[in-house]
Amino acid sequence: MSIRRRDFLKVTAATGAAASFGFPHIWIKNADLARAAGGEIKVGVLYSLTGTTAIIETSLNQACLMAIEEINASGGINGMKLTPVVEDPASDPATFAQKARKLVLGDKCVSVFGSYTSASRKAVLPVFEKYNNLYWYPTLYEGRECSLDVIYTGAVPNQQQQDFVPWLLKNFGKKFYLIGSNYIYPKEENNVCKILLKRLGGEVVGEEYVPLGHSEFSSVIQKFKDTQPNVIFSTVVGDSVVALHRQYKAAGLDPAKMPMASLTTSEEEIAAMGGEFAVGHFTSAPYFMSYDSPENHKFVEAFQKKYGKDKVTNFVSEPAYFQVYLFKQAVEKLGGKNLTPPEIRKAAWGQEFKAPQGLVKIDPENSHTYLWPKIGEAQSNGQFKIIEQVKQWVEPKPYWAYEGQVCTPTGMKMTKS
Ligand code: ACM
């Protein structure tokens, strides 16, 4: 189900009113500051460089900074340079919230690009909603949220699972074991998977959640052996992905018979574990580094030139990169006037950009992004062979699996009991 325009307009009106009575002075000051500082536009860069999701989030920080550098090198935005204010929230949701507050209130950034886990996005959300600032979130996530103060450029479940789950059932069988890290994203994503499996005649033979940063999978792997699933559906995140794959192989399991099908394993984790541990497993995502497009070749070449020829790009670093260009286009549309987060948000709606994965667009109804889902099979060289891809971009439907729910400024609401 997509969000109905009428409900979204109601939300907009409510938030607009709150802004008028609440904090308009902050944004007038911001616009003045941008001009007074000689045309500088301050943006926050909030990705973890330390802690349990540092492997993946470092790549987001790098892709974001590369886009900022490219934009500045080509003259900035309406003659103004982007000044990134970089913070390391150390993979810790409480630190995310504290740093977000600093970027919004202390540095007076007009937007912040940030975060990988949904736990950290949930932690910063109250800051962006309270101060009516704008958070650009590049990561695939579970949906069931459409805050007016977030632009979502990563995939939601209908853009990762809709084709993937039926494909897995058809090619490997109906018995799924669901393994995830223990927080909101894997649990919600697995709820969607269970709804799909029920519709398609699939079966869940096990469901388990391990703590973030978990690195000891022997008891989990024993359960794989005991229950003999056809598919291990993985939403394990961060450094744990490396441990899971290594221990799976060490236990003698065979991807040809019991593949891991992941929404979260990218070239980045594979580079950390070694391609031999990932070969034969599958990932569904809108972007793979091996995708053949002129925009992607340019992106990969620039990334490796800047950060090293062995560096990889991945399905989260790509949106972390292109969303800065969407921000640029939104600010350009404002023509140097009204440089406030609410105005930037309005100008961002409907923006299109030729990204490495294909042409993307911010949906003006729900602030999520039209994307190009693909299925990749990991190869021993650490790359994915793309074996399925959509012919048309796929509309984002953050409430796809949940009939009767709509978004509001405070989260989802039931429209029927
Ligand atoms: C995630 O937590 N959205 C990967």
Side-chain angles (χ1 to χ4, degrees), residues 118 156 177 224 269 360:
S118 291
V156 282
Y177 195 110
F224 297 162
E269 290 84 4
V360 298

Side-chain angles (χ1 to χ4, degrees), residues 112-124:
V112 176
F113 304 104
S115 79
Y116 176 75
T117 70
S118 291
S120 54
R121 187 191 69 259
K122 293 285 188 196
V124 301

Side-chain angles (χ1 to χ4, degrees), residues 295-313:
E295 292 77 20
N296 189 35
H297 295 157
K298 191 165 156 250
F299 172 54
V300 172
E301 200 179 306
F303 196 82
Q304 291 185 332
K305 185 161 176 230
K306 184 166 171 58
Y307 296 113
K309 64 178 176 29
D310 296 331
K311 288 287 181 187
V312 294
T313 54

Side-chain angles (χ1 to χ4, degrees), residues 39 50 58 123 218 227 244 295 316 334 367 396:
T50 54
T58 298
S218 54
T227 53
L244 174 62
E295 292 77 20
V316 212
L334 293 174
S367 299

Side-chain angles (χ1 to χ4, degrees), residues 116-118 137 139-142 183 185 237 264:
Y116 176 75
T117 70
S118 291
Y137 180 64
T139 307
L140 55 113
Y141 89 106
E142 66 280 0
Y183 71 106
Y185 163 74
V237 305
T264 46

Side-chain angles (χ1 to χ4, degrees), residues 287 291 293 295-297 299 318 321-322 353-358:
Y287 172 83
Y291 184 58
S293 75
E295 292 77 20
N296 189 35
H297 295 157
F299 172 54
E318 188 242 8
Y321 173 78
F322 76 63
F353 179 72
K354 241 183 164 189
Q357 68 173 274

Side-chain angles (χ1 to χ4, degrees), residues 97-147:
Q98 180 212 326
K99 301 279 187 189
R101 217 169 289 116
K102 178 212 171 252
L103 290 170
V104 168
L105 295 177
D107 299 307
K108 304 209 181 306
C109 295
V110 290
S111 278
V112 176
F113 304 104
S115 79
Y116 176 75
T117 70
S118 291
S120 54
R121 187 191 69 259
K122 293 285 188 196
V124 301
L125 214 51
V127 177
F128 289 88
E129 292 184 338
K130 179 167 181 188
Y131 300 109
N132 207 10
N133 202 294
L134 194 56
Y135 196 56
W136 295 71
Y137 180 64
T139 307
L140 55 113
Y141 89 106
E142 66 280 0
R144 298 187 87 179
E145 179 184 296
C146 73
S147 170

